[in-house]
Every structure is written in C-alpha cells, then in structure tokens.
Amino acid sequence: MPVPLRRAAAFSVAFSWLCVMASAPSAGAEAMPKDFVYLADIDPSIQQDMRYAGATNFTGNPVPGYDAPECVLVRPAAEALKRVQTEVRTKGFTLKVYDCYRPARAVASFVEWAKTPDDSKAKMVYYPNLPKSALFPDYIATRSGHSRGATMDLTLVPLSP
C-alpha cells in the first residue's frame, strides 16, 4: 500500500533534517572535498535531477560550481540515503534528489543573481508571487548548509508499475 502523500512529505522533511545534522566537514574547493562521494557510486537507483547543472532552475542558467549533473555528499549522508531508498522502495517509491553538495561559489552566484533585474520567464515559473528581495533568507541563504555536503533537496517518486 503506498504511503499517504502527507506522510511521505513529512518523512522527506524529517530525513533532510537528519542529514543536515550529520557530522560533516565544511567544503569549498574546486576539487571534490575529502570524504565526499558520488551518490551514484553508493546507490545508483536513486534518481538525480541536478537542476543547477543546467538552465532549468530559478536563475535560468547553469550555476557556477555545478560542473556535472552529479549528486555529491559526505559518505554518511549518501549511505543514509541508501538505507532510506531500501525502505521506500518496499512501499512503491524511489528517492529523487535535485541538489546536494553546493560549492561556496554557487552560493555567491545566487547572491549576485539576486542583485540583477528579474528574468520574467524564470520569475513566472519559480517565484511568481514574490519579489527577489523576499527570497532571502527563506529560499536563498548567503551561507548554505548544502556546502557541508550533508544537505540535499529530495522528494519521493512513485515507482512505475
């Protein structure tokens, strides 16, 4: 029996919070930081839609620092996702990640993006009822927990029958 959507959403939020609390070193170099792994190497069954590596995101452009559409995390967070994936698959779902490790230069580019005039096309899709100034700090932060490598944006997706 599928998990009710409300319960699935609550689970997703709770799991994200647990991963944020995982012990992780601060990250911010050009190369992949020490102790970080590609999620696909830990569990290739977890879907990835890394929006900031392409133009399908609120900026309308690829974001600096996202050189490839790959989820990178600290090993404990990736292994925790693998355990959750095993559980949700028994309930007819799979995990899907949209963002994982976020380099500091990507965070800086979000701040710079906020200083530019609205892109009406992106605004209509991603923040139609908000001015850019209202995106801080609830949606965009000047310092991101994603830069620790233990935070990710994720959802549950029903498995195909």
Side-chain angles (χ1 to χ4, degrees):
M1 178 171 164
V3 177
L5 188 55
R6 180 177 288 154
R7 189 168 143 211
F11 172 80
S12 180
V13 170
F15 178 74
S16 294
W17 177 249
L18 288 173
C19 287
V20 169
M21 300 309 292
S23 174
S26 183
E30 294 295 311
M32 189 158 66
K34 183 180 182 283
D35 301 324
F36 282 51
V37 296
Y38 290 103
L39 178 60
D41 290 342
I42 303 300
D43 190 331
S45 73
I46 297 173
Q47 295 179 16
Q48 296 186 36
D49 185 1
M50 307 305 292
R51 296 293 178 99
Y52 298 133
T56 308
N57 64 67
F58 69 90
T59 71
N61 295 294
V63 176
Y66 289 89
D67 300 328
E70 291 282 341
C71 175
V72 174
L73 294 166
V74 290
R75 182 173 294 279
E79 290 174 351
L81 280 178
K82 180 178 181 165
R83 289 189 300 275
V84 171
Q85 175 74 340
T86 300
E87 178 66 24
V88 300
R89 287 181 71 86
T90 67
K91 295 176 174 40
F93 291 93
T94 185
L95 293 175
K96 183 176 190 176
V97 292
Y98 293 100
D99 189 22
C100 297
Y101 166 67
R102 182 179 300 160
R105 65 186 170 137
V107 176
S109 78
F110 291 162
V111 173
E112 287 304 310
W113 166 85
K115 296 176 184 176
T116 63
D118 279 334
D119 169 349
S120 59
K121 184 177 161 188
K123 179 177 177 44
M124 191 69 123
V125 173
Y126 296 102
Y127 56 104
N129 300 317
L130 295 172
K132 277 188 175 180
S133 61
L135 299 176
F136 287 91
D138 293 335
Y139 299 100
I140 301 172
T142 56
R143 296 185 64 194
S144 174
H146 282 274
S147 298
R148 295 178 59 231
T151 301
M152 72 287 307
D153 298 340
L154 70 137
T155 191
L156 290 171
V157 177
L159 289 170
S160 299

